[in-house]
Amino acid sequence: MRMHIVSISLSVLFLMQLSCGKVQKTVKTNQPKKPNIVYILTDQWRGSALGYAGDPNVKTPHLDNFAKEAVNFTNAVSVTPVCTPHRASLLTGRFPTTTGMFLNDLYLPSEELCMAEIFKAEGYNTAYWGKWHLDGHGRENNAAPERRQGFDYWKGAECDHNYNKEHYYANNDPEKKYWEGYSPFSIVKDANEYISNHAEDTNPFLMVVSLATPHYPHDSAPQKYKDMYPLESIKLAPNVSEKWKEKALNELQGYYAHCTATDEAIGMVLDKLKELNLDKNTIVVFSADHGEMMGGQGVKPFTKQLAWDESIRVPFLIRYPGIGKNKGATVNAPINTPDILPSLLGLSKISIPNTIEGEDLSELIKNPDPNADRAALVMNVHPFANNFNDDAYRAIRTKQYTYARTQKGASMLFDNVKDPYQINNLLNKPEYNELQNQLDAQLNDELKKINDPFKPQEYYMEKWNYALSEKNRAIDFKNWAKGKGKVHTPTQSK
């Protein structure tokens, strides 16, 4: 009798398994695989320094072709134009005044809900390559696996700009390794291997390929690419001051060389996706964490953090499944750093966590309107290092205007359509009073949305309990090499 019951039970169990198998198969058919995501993040690549963006000097054929297949946000901006704040905002979808991540070399705490954790919860495989700059444990030290914010496959480094001997740490191996040769090529080679290995996975993948170029040092670019830019052929922007012309020319030779080499490396990733027919179901983004002044506005090369376009405006190209007739479309309304994560979630049909402050622009991406407009809030909460003596500011960038304010009052008003090099400051001119008042009110609205009172910079340092090194007026990352490093993180605030 007992054997008969067991026999019946096994039969029922077998039928249930078959039924479940059919149900799973039906679900799989009705719910297609979510799109893969490849986010290509570069460092210090100005929004203007691309062939498709109209730069008369630089050669970027692969990205020029990609622009024809993507939606181009012509006025994309970095929420705080320097490395760590941008990267923290990109991964969290939150503003630096909310997270406390407004200086370089801070540690982004594990309590923050980040990009890879959100996608991972939706079944994504997650992978990261290259510069991280969110670990706050020294630039040479390993970002331990528990501090990688949900990225599982890992070949990253906190910060290294020695492109011909750039270090990294691989997955769970604590031993420091080095990319072979010029790092952008070696990084994308490994990324392409990952793509090949995961091309037929049931689950989609999220890849962030973080290339540290074209950030200085510029003379380290391969000679082959520097030879493409003889000094006498380089045309400077009209707002480069006489004081910095010679320096700008010399730096631009290497800067453009890095751009062209990096463009070639990015082309290798784009080609691999097409080769494996993955481009049909992959969201691909090309962008940068900030730009740089390069002698514009009388500011020396290498400088960022400021509110001029050379510093805040970055490239942003996005191609998505089903882009169809929108290939090559432009959007002039700015996209801001906190908007990127919710927009990727929107495109992937994933619910947006309520911690995210940025706006989901996925509908604008799918229905690009060059006439649409919005205000992007840009800020420098506490200038540091070489910018230590500059004023903290809040600014907005629309498709036409830049308006900025410091604690001293309004500081800039530019019509970027009529004056793309921002030479003519319209501030306090009687005929622009009404516009200035409108933009000031708009700035106040954006600050109110994120509960930023825009107080003096010392307020934020005290709030988050930060202290800058007296030597370099920045978070001291160099003491880690001496065994005296200290982690600075928002969770230490009083």
Side-chain angles (χ1 to χ4, degrees):
M1 183 72 169
R2 184 176 298 171
M3 288 180 63
H4 181 63
I5 292 172
V6 170
S7 175
I8 293 172
S9 298
L10 288 172
S11 300
V12 171
L13 180 61
F14 178 69
L15 288 171
M16 286 176 65
Q17 286 176 332
L18 283 177
S19 175
C20 286
K22 289 177 183 177
V23 170
Q24 288 173 353
K25 188 173 182 181
T26 303
V27 169
K28 186 176 179 182
T29 302
N30 292 339
Q31 294 184 349
K33 178 178 173 181
K34 288 187 180 297
N36 304 308
I37 297 174
V38 177
Y39 196 99
I40 301 169
L41 176 64
T42 59
D43 195 345
Q44 207 152 307
W45 198 321
R46 311 200 301 174
S48 60
L50 294 128
Y52 72 81
D55 190 301
N57 305 293
V58 72
K59 299 171 179 63
T60 52
H62 300 280
L63 288 167
D64 294 350
N65 286 333
F66 182 57
K68 297 174 184 175
E69 302 176 350
V71 174
N72 175 14
F73 278 78
T74 62
N75 291 308
V77 294
S78 175
V79 66
T80 294
V82 70
C83 297
T84 298
H86 174 92
R87 291 159 189 268
S89 186
L90 171 65
L91 293 191
T92 63
R94 285 148 67 81
F95 283 82
T97 46
T98 303
T99 61
M101 298 292 292
F102 54 82
L103 301 167
N104 265 358
D105 297 291
L106 298 173
Y107 165 54
L108 179 63
S110 58
E111 290 83 352
E112 288 289 351
L113 180 63
C114 290
M115 177 188 288
E117 295 167 317
I118 299 168
F119 280 96
K120 192 173 170 181
E122 295 291 326
Y124 278 71
N125 296 315
T126 60
Y128 195 98
W129 290 261
K131 180 177 174 178
W132 179 243
H133 215 170
L134 291 168
D135 191 52
H137 289 70
R139 295 188 177 186
E140 294 292 323
N141 290 337
N142 184 16
E146 65 272 15
R147 300 199 301 266
R148 295 173 185 168
Q149 305 292 353
F151 287 102
D152 290 331
Y153 184 92
W154 178 271
K155 288 196 175 176
E158 176 65 353
C159 183
D160 190 348
H161 292 288
N162 184 355
Y163 308 123
N164 296 299
K165 194 182 178 182
E166 185 176 333
H167 80 275
Y168 70 95
Y169 293 91
N171 299 312
N172 295 323
D173 188 347
E175 180 185 353
K176 183 185 288 186
K177 304 179 188 302
Y178 295 90
W179 295 110
E180 181 180 350
Y182 186 64
S183 59
F185 292 130
S186 296
I187 289 171
V188 301
K189 180 181 178 183
D190 194 271
N192 279 353
E193 288 179 9
Y194 182 92
I195 292 171
S196 297
N197 292 337
H198 291 269
E200 298 182 7
D201 283 2
T202 302
N203 293 339
F205 54 74
L206 163 70
M207 297 172 52
V208 175
V209 184
S210 175
L211 305 175
T213 47
H215 189 289
Y216 60 84
H218 301 139
D219 60 2
S220 64
Q223 191 62 45
K224 165 186 172 182
Y225 300 95
K226 286 195 285 189
D227 289 343
M228 298 170 69
Y229 298 100
L231 292 178
E232 62 273 15
S233 72
I234 297 175
K235 298 176 183 177
L236 294 176
N239 64 359
V240 175
S241 66
E242 195 65 38
K243 177 181 179 181
W244 295 112
K245 281 186 176 180
E246 184 177 355
K247 178 71 171 173
L249 282 172
N250 283 293
E251 294 302 330
L252 279 170
Q253 182 180 55
Y255 184 82
Y256 285 143
H258 278 313
C259 289
T260 299
T262 308
D263 170 83
E264 188 173 317
I266 292 168
M268 293 163 62
V269 177
L270 300 174
D271 288 346
K272 177 59 69 173
L273 292 171
K274 286 187 177 180
E275 174 193 324
L276 297 174
N277 202 32
L278 290 174
D279 55 318
K280 304 294 189 297
N281 193 42
T282 301
I283 298 169
V284 182
V285 177
F286 160 68
S287 192
D289 55 3
H290 53 80
E292 81 137 273
M293 295 304 298
M294 198 60 80
Q297 311 295 345
V299 180
K300 70 178 180 179
F302 310 149
T303 306
K304 41 262 190 185
Q305 298 193 42
L306 303 170
W308 281 296
D309 266 6
E310 287 88 352
S311 172
I312 69 170
R313 200 163 72 85
V314 294
F316 193 90
L317 299 177
I318 182 165
R319 185 180 69 193
Y320 56 91
I323 189 170
K325 65 180 182 179
N326 292 329
K327 289 181 179 181
T330 59
V331 175
N332 297 315
I335 187 170
N336 199 5
T337 316
D339 304 323
I340 296 169
L341 175 54
S343 299
L344 292 176
L345 293 171
L347 288 172
S348 306
K349 296 186 171 141
I350 295 173
S351 297
I352 298 169
N354 58 16
T355 56
I356 288 177
E357 294 177 309
E359 184 179 348
D360 173 11
L361 300 182
S362 59
E363 286 305 312
L364 184 58
I365 293 170
K366 290 186 289 186
N367 300 284
D369 178 3
N371 298 312
D373 201 7
R374 61 193 298 268
L377 175 62
V378 179
M379 59 179 64
N380 192 340
V381 178
H382 192 295
F384 62 91
N386 292 334
N387 292 83
F388 180 76
N389 292 319
D390 292 325
D391 291 323
Y393 65 83
R394 303 294 187 272
I396 53 170
R397 181 69 161 78
T398 69
K399 72 175 184 178
Q400 183 165 2
Y401 300 107
T402 296
Y403 174 74
R405 196 171 73 212
T406 72
Q407 287 295 314
K408 300 171 186 174
S411 58
M412 63 169 63
L413 170 56
F414 292 108
D415 183 332
N416 303 311
V417 174
K418 296 178 180 177
D419 180 24
Y421 294 101
Q422 299 180 318
I423 293 170
N424 183 22
N425 194 346
L426 305 175
L427 203 65
N428 298 325
K429 293 188 176 182
E431 62 270 37
Y432 292 98
N433 280 348
E434 185 178 350
L435 172 64
Q436 184 173 327
N437 290 335
Q438 290 173 354
L439 292 170
D440 192 72
Q442 211 168 354
L443 172 57
N444 288 334
D445 288 343
E446 296 303 314
L447 291 171
K448 187 176 180 180
K449 287 178 185 177
I450 61 168
N451 298 314
D452 177 17
F454 187 23
K455 291 189 176 183
Q457 59 190 36
E458 293 78 15
Y459 165 85
Y460 301 91
M461 296 294 282
E462 291 174 8
K463 177 180 178 180
W464 303 105
N465 196 25
Y466 296 148
L468 301 184
S469 163
E470 292 184 6
K471 186 176 181 180
N472 63 359
R473 303 294 189 177
I475 296 296
D476 191 350
F477 63 88
K478 294 184 178 179
N479 266 339
W480 287 92
K482 305 171 187 174
K484 300 178 182 178
K486 177 185 175 184
V487 176
H488 290 76
T489 180
T491 54
Q492 70 188 9
S493 61
K494 296 176 183 178

